Amino acid sequence: MSAPASSTAPAAAKPPLKGHRLRLSRQLLLWLLLPQIVLWAAGGAAAYRLAASYVDQALDMGLAQSSRALARQLKPLGDGLLIDFPRAAQAILEADPQDRQFYVVSSPPGSFILGNHTLPPPPPEVQANSQPDLPFFYDGLMPSMPGSDTLVQVRVVALYQLLDAEFGAAPQQVLIQVARSKTTREQLVERILIDMLLPLSTLMVLMSLIVWFGIQAGLAPIRRLRQQVEGRAASKLDPIELDGAPLELHALAQALNTLLADARQHLEQQRRFIGDAAHQLRTPLAGLKAQTELALQQLETSERAELRQRLAKVHESAARSAHLVNQLLSLARSEPGAPLPQMQRTDLQALLQTVVADWVPKALRAQIDLGWEHRDGPAAWVWAEPTLLREAISNLIDNAILYAGTGAEITVGLDSASDPLQIWVRDNGPGIAPELRERAFERFFRGTQQGNGCGLGLAIVRDIVRRHGGEVALRHPPEGGLEVRISLPAMPPQALSTA
């Protein structure tokens, strides 16, 4: 079958963008800044660890030098020790109250000799595995001032030193400990970190500004594209041209050009449809005009019977014109792009019975037997627009009455037990010739010149049925006639319970 022509329905207006939606430029800036912030934080953490490592190394080296310098002041003297540690040197070690150094000299296993006895002792594993002239560093807590309950963190070096005794006496081992507060260390680390992060932060701000200007420059073609689209008239469907735009934007412009080409094609189809409708309307209206003129000319010279014959032809032409206009309006409502504002739960059996009852008087005037057949089954409920569905069934009955002939039988039936639901309109008329059956659903196609049809009935039926998710097909029984069968999806039970 040939596909029916389609007309373009007006596009529904899109809702305005909500305020919480971000602009593309802000989204890009956000996605570019987030990694920078993460990297900045990771760089700050790495810089802090690196600065702390270097400060610890410098502090440990200073403590080791102080411990060795203090060890050089120890000299064995008989069974004792000579400590050449003047008060001036002691005052130098303890001069800075913010960065004081504490020291203690003891003879293992813990005999205090000189210094501050509140220094934390070395860990047990150091005491067990100590090696002479090898410094060991550890952290500990000690009172900030003698007799104070406030503890401060200190960095301590422990140096075991073996002193050679004179005149063959046994060597003496001493433990030298030098400690230093970690407050200055923390302050130094913070200063190094600030000095590193300030230029890094400035660099990140400058980079963010560069990225922002780069995003604005990169999105400039999109703004030009928007201006081209917004500034166009509704009738201007020429292709969009973008020079110097990125490849991705060219792909978007190509997609828009394809859409514009489709819209242009649909408009051409609409124009052709209007032309066809005008051509079809011209013939019956011209006949109406000619018959009216003849009736006026013969009004005074002819018999009333001849005048009645002319006026009957006028009535026939007017009726055909009215029928065509009604069909065109139905066709416009059944277009795929037209809205379905009144979709609702519909009892298909009740609708069909009402339509058949409405057409019985016309069928009787045409001496045609119009009947109703229902195969027992569950209730036939569909989700449909009742007016359009009624229009589809009415078109099928109207076609059958027009072309089946006097004395024919027409049956409208429903099978509610099948899935999908089946509706049929069957007559025992002449049917459609085999060579014309493929064109039966084309618009303005008529298989015969009999009757006052305009060739739109079956096209309207198919458009309406497809809009309801169904299908329509022609069947030609072996005994003759024509059967038009419609398949419609039934509403599921769960939908019926909530409708």
Side-chain angles (χ1 to χ4, degrees):
M1 293 181 190
S2 301
S6 62
S7 63
T8 305
K14 293 184 178 180
L17 293 177
K18 296 182 179 179
H20 66 271
R21 297 186 181 178
L22 293 177
R23 295 169 62 93
L24 179 59
S25 59
R26 295 179 182 175
Q27 289 185 357
L28 291 175
L29 182 63
L30 181 63
W31 282 109
L32 289 173
L33 287 183
L34 280 178
Q36 292 188 39
I37 295 174
V38 173
L39 292 176
W40 180 84
Y48 178 82
R49 295 178 63 88
L50 187 62
S53 173
Y54 282 126
V55 171
D56 285 341
Q57 291 180 20
L59 180 61
D60 290 347
M61 290 177 61
L63 290 175
Q65 292 176 359
S66 298
S67 64
R68 285 193 171 94
L70 184 58
R72 286 193 294 268
Q73 306 303 318
L74 302 178
K75 297 177 181 179
L77 183 61
D79 293 335
L81 289 176
L82 174 62
I83 303 176
D84 187 10
F85 192 46
R87 297 293 300 177
Q90 182 179 359
I92 292 175
L93 286 177
E94 302 177 355
D96 188 359
Q98 299 297 328
D99 190 19
R100 297 182 60 188
Q101 292 193 50
F102 307 93
Y103 60 92
V104 64
V105 178
S106 60
S107 176
S111 299
F112 174 78
I113 299 177
L114 177 69
N116 191 325
H117 61 85
T118 60
L119 259 67
E125 61 270 15
V126 175
Q127 299 179 18
N129 301 311
S130 62
Q131 297 182 17
D133 202 28
L134 182 64
F136 178 81
F137 303 93
Y138 62 95
D139 295 325
L141 295 173
M142 64 175 292
S144 59
M145 298 292 291
S148 174
D149 294 334
T150 304
L151 300 179
V152 294
Q153 287 189 341
V154 291
R155 182 73 169 170
V156 187
V157 60
L159 178 66
Y160 287 89
Q161 189 73 25
L162 195 62
L163 302 179
D164 295 330
E166 296 179 349
F167 308 110
Q172 299 185 37
Q173 186 180 34
V174 294
L175 170 62
I176 302 170
Q177 295 171 266
V178 179
R180 191 171 188 175
S181 173
K182 297 186 71 173
T183 303
T184 304
R185 177 253 189 195
E186 297 294 340
Q187 293 175 353
L188 185 58
V189 170
E190 290 179 0
R191 288 180 58 185
I192 295 177
L193 183 63
I194 292 174
D195 291 342
M196 293 179 65
L197 289 183
L198 276 179
L200 187 61
S201 302
T202 305
L203 181 62
M204 191 183 74
V205 172
L206 292 177
M207 185 179 299
S208 301
L209 292 176
I210 295 173
V211 168
W212 171 257
F213 287 114
I215 289 174
Q216 296 302 315
L219 295 180
I222 297 182
R223 288 192 291 270
R224 293 198 300 269
L225 175 61
R226 185 190 65 186
Q227 291 170 0
Q228 288 191 37
V229 174
E230 287 180 347
R232 283 177 171 242
S235 59
K236 186 178 180 182
L237 300 177
D238 299 333
I240 297 174
E241 296 182 2
L242 286 178
D243 297 329
L247 181 62
E248 293 80 4
L249 198 57
H250 275 291
L252 175 61
Q254 183 63 34
L256 289 176
N257 288 337
T258 303
L259 180 62
L260 291 175
D262 292 342
R264 186 165 56 249
Q265 180 182 1
H266 284 203
L267 285 178
E268 290 296 330
Q269 291 177 352
Q270 231 180 16
R271 294 189 186 99
R272 287 197 300 270
F273 171 75
I274 294 173
D276 292 341
H279 175 73
Q280 294 293 328
L281 283 171
R282 189 180 298 115
T283 301
L285 292 178
L288 176 62
K289 181 180 178 181
Q291 295 297 330
T292 305
E293 290 176 351
L294 290 175
L296 291 175
Q297 292 173 4
Q298 296 176 4
L299 183 60
E300 297 180 356
T301 60
S302 63
E303 298 294 333
R304 289 186 177 275
E306 185 177 358
L307 180 59
R308 283 196 300 270
Q309 183 180 3
R310 293 292 183 185
L311 292 178
K313 292 183 179 181
V314 171
H315 176 73
E316 181 181 350
S317 297
R320 183 177 179 184
S321 298
H323 179 69
L324 176 60
V325 171
N326 290 332
Q327 292 288 77
L328 290 175
L329 292 176
S330 298
L331 186 63
R333 289 198 303 268
S334 65
E335 286 291 343
L340 287 175
Q342 298 179 354
M343 292 287 283
Q344 55 185 305
R345 177 187 175 198
T346 304
D347 186 350
L348 192 56
Q349 178 181 346
L351 184 143
L352 291 175
Q353 289 176 342
T354 303
V355 173
V356 171
D358 292 342
W359 279 91
V360 166
K362 184 174 181 179
L364 292 176
R365 288 194 297 269
Q367 300 180 10
I368 290 178
D369 182 11
L370 176 60
W372 160 255
E373 177 183 346
H374 178 221
R375 297 177 183 175
D376 292 336
W381 291 94
V382 294
W383 189 253
E385 206 288 327
T387 303
L388 285 182
L389 205 55
R390 183 189 302 270
E391 183 71 24
I393 305 302
S394 296
N395 272 282
L396 294 180
I397 299 175
D398 187 27
N399 279 355
I401 292 175
L402 287 176
Y403 301 113
T406 304
E409 294 182 359
I410 302 174
T411 304
V412 179
L414 169 65
D415 184 2
S416 57
S418 63
D419 186 17
L421 302 176
Q422 299 292 322
I423 306 169
W424 63 87
V425 178
R426 184 190 308 119
D427 65 72
N428 58 354
I432 301 177
E435 65 274 10
L436 301 177
R437 291 173 183 174
E438 292 186 358
R439 303 184 58 191
F441 288 100
E442 292 184 10
R443 296 178 178 181
F444 300 112
F445 173 76
R446 299 182 64 196
T448 177
Q449 297 303 319
Q450 297 178 0
N452 293 327
C454 54
L456 289 175
L458 289 179
I460 293 173
V461 171
R462 183 166 69 172
D463 286 348
I464 293 176
V465 172
R466 285 184 173 178
R467 294 200 68 187
H468 287 78
E471 291 294 335
V472 58
L474 301 181
R475 295 187 179 183
H476 302 82
E479 62 274 12
L482 176 67
E483 178 182 293
V484 183
R485 183 169 288 262
I486 295 174
S487 303
L488 289 177
M491 291 184 67
Q494 58 270 24
L496 290 174
S497 61
T498 58

